[in-house]
Amino acid sequence: MSVHRTLPQRTRSLIGAWCFADHFGPDDVIARGGMDVGPHPHTGLQTATWLFAGEVEHRDSLGTHALVRPGELNLMTSGYGICHSEVSTPGTTTLHGLQLWAALPDAAMLQDRHAHFRGQR
């Protein structure tokens, strides 16, 4: 799966490390394999994933299971440490989206939560 780090980048390097913005796809999942990110920890981060095409299954160590679809926003806050995985679903043929990563302030380090918002299309 192709991922392009929109921020920070060479011409805007002062943005990181408090914020990253990744753009992935559009990718032909059948040809390239799609998203297959196994369980991994996050500590002190909040991620917001927004899909334009495809479907991603999110699972985490809090027991959260969410299917993220186009027009929906998946928000994960990981203070002390949460492990999660993200994989494109078998029915996905094209995967395209954005993911914003923001570093949390020290006061938020002990909060772990997950939210899923359905968008209007």
Side-chain angles (χ1 to χ4, degrees):
M1 186 179 83
S2 61
V3 176
H4 304 282
R5 174 125 311 146
T6 306
L7 292 173
Q9 56 175 282
R10 193 170 300 179
T11 59
R12 296 194 189 264
S13 62
L14 296 178
I15 301 293
W18 67 271
C19 175
F20 299 111
D22 292 341
H23 172 246
F24 52 93
D27 273 349
D28 178 345
V29 172
I30 295 168
R32 297 186 70 144
M35 183 181 288
D36 187 8
V37 181
H40 61 284
H42 279 203
T43 300
L45 291 172
Q46 186 171 64
T47 59
T49 305
W50 184 26
L51 291 182
F52 304 126
E55 187 176 71
V56 171
E57 181 179 27
H58 169 102
R59 292 183 182 268
D60 65 37
S61 56
L62 296 176
T64 305
H65 176 245
L67 291 175
V68 186
R69 296 176 179 97
E72 296 180 354
L73 180 76
N74 189 61
L75 181 65
M76 183 183 71
T77 302
S78 178
Y80 187 68
I82 186 173
C83 285
H84 78 117
S85 64
E86 297 165 293
V87 296
S88 47
T89 60
T92 297
T93 56
T94 300
L95 189 60
H96 187 198
L98 294 173
Q99 190 169 64
L100 175 67
W101 304 50
L104 296 172
D106 289 344
M109 288 296 286
L110 296 178
Q111 299 176 6
D112 289 332
R113 60 185 178 271
H114 180 271
H116 185 74
F117 303 97
R118 299 206 185 281
Q120 300 297 317
R121 295 195 87 205

